Amino acid sequence: MIRAFLHGLPMGFARIFAPRYLVWHVVMIILTYLCVVSGFDWYYFTQTRFDNLYALTLPAALLGFFVPIALPVVMYYFGEWQGRAKLMQAAIAVAQAEALAWVVSSLYKSLTGRIVPEFLPSTAMQDISRWFDFGFWERGIFGGWPSSHTAVAFAGMVALIWLYPKNKPLALLAGAYALYIGLGVSVSVHWFSAFLAGAGLGTLVGVVVARHAK
């Protein structure tokens, strides 16, 4: 599993930045720009940070960490136990999509250095939604833009849906999970535009990996 997983990563990374897919990156940036300059990011922040909603969505950060690790492992060894080669291949593709989404989103974070929102708003707070520290490693790769939780969740789930296009219940469950993770972190540790960009990036990665899965 590990050898097959690692084998596809370099080519997958190159494909994500292929000329035919650059429009996805441009759209991510444009949508973020519009959310920031229009004030929507700050408006969304002030309207969604309250205790009950925060408590409901806080598990998204935990599920967004553990599920992407556990899911492909369970899929692979269940497929091996059942002798289902397609399931094993799908597990590898999902793992590759998740890993590439994390790498690419972290690369963007290392360059954009966006300040993260506070958990709860205060009347004394200024609008910090426009603060970016462009450069390299100005604010590390935790928090920031785009949301890695969202990118990883969407990448894995989109790859899974793409590989099993006729399985409607799977599509609904996978889509609901990805949206829960993305929207959950958008009302806790990320701006709305970070969720939006993460969803776009994750969708791109999931499609690219699934198209070339063998």
Side-chain angles (χ1 to χ4, degrees):
M1 177 182 181
I2 295 178
R3 180 178 297 179
F5 165 75
L6 294 175
H7 179 73
L9 293 181
M11 186 59 69
F13 182 85
R15 289 190 183 109
I16 292 166
F17 290 97
R20 64 182 296 190
Y21 296 123
L22 289 181
V23 65
W24 286 72
H25 300 266
V26 173
V27 169
M28 282 168 45
I29 294 170
I30 292 175
L31 289 176
T32 298
Y33 176 79
L34 293 175
C35 286
V36 172
V37 300
S38 68
F40 183 78
D41 266 352
W42 185 248
Y43 173 78
Y44 182 85
F45 169 81
T46 60
Q47 298 301 309
T48 58
R49 262 58 174 194
F50 49 88
D51 291 338
N52 292 338
L53 182 60
Y54 178 69
L56 182 65
T57 57
L58 183 60
L62 297 175
L63 290 174
F65 177 80
F66 289 108
V67 171
I69 296 174
L71 178 62
V73 173
V74 172
M75 286 174 59
Y76 184 87
Y77 286 107
F78 184 77
E80 186 176 51
W81 177 51
Q82 292 287 313
R84 297 166 60 182
K86 182 179 178 180
L87 184 58
M88 296 168 66
Q89 293 168 354
I92 293 171
V94 169
Q96 288 175 336
E98 292 170 345
L100 286 168
W102 183 83
V103 169
V104 176
S105 62
S106 297
L107 176 62
Y108 271 118
K109 286 181 179 182
S110 71
L111 300 174
T112 57
R114 190 178 193 185
I115 190 171
V116 297
E118 298 291 340
F119 285 152
L120 296 172
S122 166
T123 55
M125 287 185 64
Q126 296 180 338
D127 183 352
I128 58 172
S129 63
R130 302 168 186 251
W131 291 10
F132 288 80
D133 288 330
F134 294 104
F136 181 70
W137 213 261
E138 296 294 332
R139 291 186 179 273
I141 58 172
F142 299 101
W145 177 95
S147 164
S148 291
H149 276 81
T150 306
V152 170
F154 270 80
M157 296 305 102
V158 168
L160 197 57
I161 293 169
W162 190 277
L163 292 168
Y164 293 94
K166 296 181 179 180
N167 193 325
K168 303 302 181 183
L170 174 64
L172 289 173
L173 183 61
Y177 165 78
L179 281 173
Y180 172 69
I181 298 302
L183 290 173
V185 297
S186 79
V187 297
S188 55
V189 295
H190 280 294
W191 303 103
F192 180 82
S193 59
F195 149 67
L196 203 60
L201 175 61
T203 300
L204 167 63
V205 174
V207 170
V208 169
V209 171
R211 275 181 176 174
H212 298 277
K214 294 182 180 180

